[in-house]
Amino acid sequence: MLKRAITKYGCTLFLIVGAMVAPVRAEEGAAPDPKKGKETKGEVSVELGKTVYTKRCWGCHGETGAGDGPAADRFKPRPRDFTKGLFKYKTTKHGSLPTDDDLIKVVSKGLPGTGMPAWETLIKENEIRSVVQYIKTFIPQSDVASPQPITIGAEVKPTKESIEKGKDLFNKVGCIMCHGAEGRGNGPLAPTLKDSWGRPVQPRNLTKGFTFRSGNEPKDVYTRINTGLMGTPMPAFDKTLDNEKSWDLANYVNSLSQYPGRKPEWDIAVVAKPISGDVADSPEDPRWEGLQRYSFPLVGQVTIDPRMFTPTVDMVTVKGMYNEKEFALLLIWDDPTKSAATPAAGDAVPEIFDDAIAIQFPTRMMEGTKKPYFIMGDLNNPVYVARWNGATDKIDEFNANGTEVRVGLRIKPQEEAHWQFKGKGTYTNGQYRAVFKRSLVTEDKENDLQIEAGKFYPIAFTAWDGSNGEHDAKRSLSAWYSVLLEVPPSKDRFIYPTLFLIVVVGIEWWITRSYRNGNGKQK
């Protein structure tokens, strides 16, 4: 029974335990403050490393370092299996072991987008160095070559010419086959790729440099190009590309990033702009290009069963416009596959569901800053949801009142005759774009939120990648954010300054005239 509980709730248990034990450092000494510099003194030994590993690492990487800890199944990618000696993020040649500094960097900085945290703020430097020494005891030394560092040549600056050369190399050396034409990890070979353990592996979405596991500067990309990623289909190009070509390719890859060299600056609200004429009902309407984008993070839904620990969609970008009668939102998100519901074919071929995305509003505004529970509302505060289906290219609507034990989500579909949102979507090169369009005011004031310009309304987002087994509660979602229909600037802003100028000029003319007339009379 205990084993079954650990298997089912392993990830949750280890996160809770980790949060409880991390602050308890009285008997061990306080963790070093990164602002004051690292603590470099202290014992470094395999024995200390084993103690740290047992306390901090065993839950994911397992007792023997095979990446099979109780929480391992909850992560994508799974924790590293040290017993194979296949390390991805290093500065040594493909086929050789990493240096100690490579391993220390991974342990210290963590790996963004995975379950591997940055330990440098939680444990001392000598503990990090010790756990690295212990990890090395898992590696079969006879099967893997000793560290052989690569040479990083003179940097080639990311000029337009270098980037164009890199783009040409991207196609010629085959990067496009896995990463796709626009770098979103949707190349023709992507669905067939597997790692050295026989598990499916997803090529990196190169437009999201902030998810690169070992840095997203051109130098970091250069290193990955020349070392490859051991244990994955990503080869090393050190024997194919010379220094200049490696830099050109790295510069091109870096140019694909939406946020080059930095993390996204997440927004807190969508501001829809007023327009003249009809609002757009197609994602291909050219007017969308001129509107500001707003980006929001999504995470896996892990609160209610069935949980989704490894979602595909991790962010959504939104643009908005409105006129005196309607408003429209354009949602943009990346998904490496276009999925439509397909039944399972034995254990080898799992069931696939439709791709979808939804926007969520409170059914009615609450007092002050109060909002319904962000996961489909709660018993007393329902939400209003509009969901676009990628397979049907249609939007359906429903209301929800949260969840109930052994029942799941309390969802009440609206009759199709009452659906207010209209929409249309497209899928191109690993990216969906879908428009949600609706009247500002609807007849169904009991179930639909009524919208007017100048007010902030809560809005949340949720997405499903059908090829990842996502459906119903298994999905990625956001917290509550806001949408605002920006009030058009008043025309009075032109009238009053003009009147003021006329008055000022008039007064100045009167003063000047009076002064001259006075001087004339004196003469």
Side-chain angles (χ1 to χ4, degrees):
M1 182 176 178
L2 178 60
K3 182 178 180 181
R4 186 182 309 164
I6 290 177
T7 301
K8 184 175 182 179
Y9 302 108
C11 178
T12 305
L13 289 172
F14 276 99
L15 288 175
I16 294 173
V17 172
M20 293 173 61
V21 302
V24 183
R25 304 285 305 177
E27 72 280 6
E28 303 174 14
D33 185 346
K35 295 181 181 179
K36 297 180 180 180
K38 294 182 179 179
E39 181 177 340
T40 57
K41 297 180 180 180
E43 172 195 7
V44 175
S45 67
V46 173
E47 290 74 19
L48 176 59
K50 182 177 181 180
T51 301
V52 174
Y53 181 90
T54 301
K55 182 176 182 180
R56 306 285 188 177
C57 315
W58 168 83
C60 298
H61 293 283
E63 183 177 0
T64 64
D68 57 355
D73 289 338
R74 301 299 187 186
F75 293 105
K76 181 181 179 181
R78 285 176 63 92
R80 179 57 39 187
D81 177 358
F82 302 128
T83 66
K84 301 293 185 182
L86 302 176
F87 293 85
K88 292 182 180 178
Y89 308 109
K90 56 196 187 71
T91 58
T92 59
K93 292 183 178 181
H94 197 80
S96 69
L97 289 172
T99 65
D100 283 6
D101 285 344
D102 291 333
L103 296 177
I104 288 170
K105 178 182 177 181
V106 170
V107 176
S108 299
K109 303 297 184 182
L111 296 173
T114 77
M116 178 65 182
W119 288 103
E120 63 182 353
T121 59
L122 298 173
I123 62 179
K124 301 175 183 179
E125 184 181 4
N126 70 304
E127 292 177 316
I128 291 176
R129 291 183 177 277
S130 294
V131 81
V132 164
Q133 297 307 312
Y134 181 65
I135 287 171
K136 289 165 62 178
T137 67
F138 295 131
I139 303 172
Q141 301 292 330
S142 60
D143 296 339
V144 188
S146 58
Q148 301 173 28
I150 64 167
T151 299
I152 299 179
E155 181 180 1
V156 175
K157 297 297 182 181
T159 62
K160 182 177 180 180
E161 181 183 6
S162 174
I163 291 172
E164 284 299 320
K165 290 180 178 179
K167 182 177 181 179
D168 185 55
L169 287 168
F170 188 84
N171 296 323
K172 285 184 176 179
V173 301
C175 306
I176 191 174
M177 298 303 293
C178 298
H179 293 285
E182 296 182 8
R184 296 194 182 94
N186 64 308
L189 293 181
T192 68
L193 300 178
K194 294 186 177 182
D195 63 16
S196 296
W197 292 265
R199 296 187 292 261
V201 60
Q202 181 63 44
R204 179 67 55 226
N205 184 335
L206 303 178
T207 70
K208 296 180 179 179
F210 61 92
T211 67
F212 291 3
R213 305 277 159 76
S214 191
N216 61 355
E217 296 291 342
K219 180 180 178 181
D220 301 317
V221 179
Y222 177 104
T223 303
R224 297 287 77 75
I225 290 170
N226 284 278
T227 65
L229 295 174
M230 289 179 64
T232 80
M234 172 66 185
F237 289 92
D238 57 328
K239 296 180 180 178
T240 306
L241 305 176
D242 60 22
N243 179 68
E244 181 179 349
K245 291 180 178 179
S246 294
W247 278 113
D248 289 339
L249 183 54
N251 288 333
Y252 173 67
V253 169
N254 195 58
S255 75
L256 295 174
S257 179
Q258 301 174 55
Y259 305 92
R262 61 185 176 90
K263 295 181 179 179
E265 297 175 356
W266 301 118
D267 295 291
I268 59 173
V270 180
V271 179
K273 295 292 185 179
I275 64 164
S276 58
D278 295 335
V279 299
D281 57 7
S282 168
E284 298 172 340
D285 191 306
R287 291 177 294 173
W288 289 118
E289 295 303 316
L291 296 179
Q292 183 174 341
R293 67 178 188 178
Y294 303 90
S295 297
F296 307 93
L298 275 65
V299 298
Q301 188 288 114
V302 297
T303 304
I304 59 176
D305 284 325
R307 295 170 170 82
M308 173 45 66
F309 289 92
T310 57
T312 297
V313 184
D314 56 9
M315 66 176 287
V316 61
T317 296
V318 187
K319 298 183 177 185
M321 66 170 70
Y322 78 100
N323 60 19
E324 67 277 4
K325 294 182 178 179
E326 299 176 308
F327 76 99
L329 298 176
L330 172 65
L331 273 60
I332 306 169
W333 71 103
D334 292 349
D335 186 334
T337 56
K338 189 177 189 302
S339 311
T342 307
D347 295 335
V349 182
E351 183 176 4
I352 294 177
F353 302 88
D354 292 342
D355 289 336
I357 199 163
I359 53 177
Q360 171 182 284
F361 301 95
T363 299
R364 61 185 64 86
M365 294 295 289
M366 300 173 65
E367 182 180 352
T369 59
K370 294 181 179 179
K371 305 177 185 69
Y373 187 51
F374 73 102
I375 304 181
M376 294 294 176
D378 52 69
L379 184 60
N380 299 315
N381 302 291
V383 295
Y384 160 53
V385 181
R387 175 179 55 194
W388 178 81
N389 184 298
T392 63
D393 196 18
K394 293 182 179 179
I395 294 177
D396 69 320
E397 299 178 24
F398 60 86
N399 294 94
N401 284 84
T403 62
E404 185 175 348
V405 178
R406 298 188 183 89
V407 175
L409 293 171
R410 302 186 191 95
I411 290 179
K412 180 182 178 182
Q414 292 191 15
E415 295 182 8
E416 186 171 354
H418 293 164
W419 293 353
Q420 302 296 328
F421 273 99
K422 306 296 180 184
K424 181 180 179 182
T426 59
Y427 181 81
T428 306
N429 289 327
Q431 185 176 84
Y432 276 110
R433 300 167 69 92
V435 169
F436 288 74
K437 175 183 174 181
R438 201 205 82 172
S439 298
L440 300 177
V441 178
T442 72
E443 295 181 1
D444 190 358
K445 293 178 172 54
E446 181 178 348
N447 296 309
D448 299 342
L449 183 67
Q450 308 302 303
I451 306 290
E452 60 182 277
K455 292 186 177 182
F456 285 92
Y457 295 93
I459 187 173
F461 309 94
T462 190
W464 294 264
D465 173 16
S467 294
N468 193 36
E470 299 177 30
H471 66 291
D472 298 333
K474 296 183 70 173
R475 55 201 167 95
S476 57
L477 47 72
S478 77
W480 283 113
Y481 293 98
S482 298
V483 60
L484 169 70
L485 274 57
E486 183 180 79
V487 177
S490 172
K491 295 180 180 179
D492 292 345
R493 73 187 192 279
F494 300 113
I495 297 175
Y496 290 123
T498 303
L499 289 176
F500 179 76
L501 181 61
I502 291 173
V503 171
V504 169
V505 171
I507 292 174
E508 184 177 312
W509 174 82
W510 179 79
I511 292 173
T512 303
R513 185 173 179 275
S514 298
Y515 177 77
R516 288 176 176 174
N517 289 340
N519 286 341
K521 290 179 180 180
Q522 290 177 7
K523 292 178 180 180

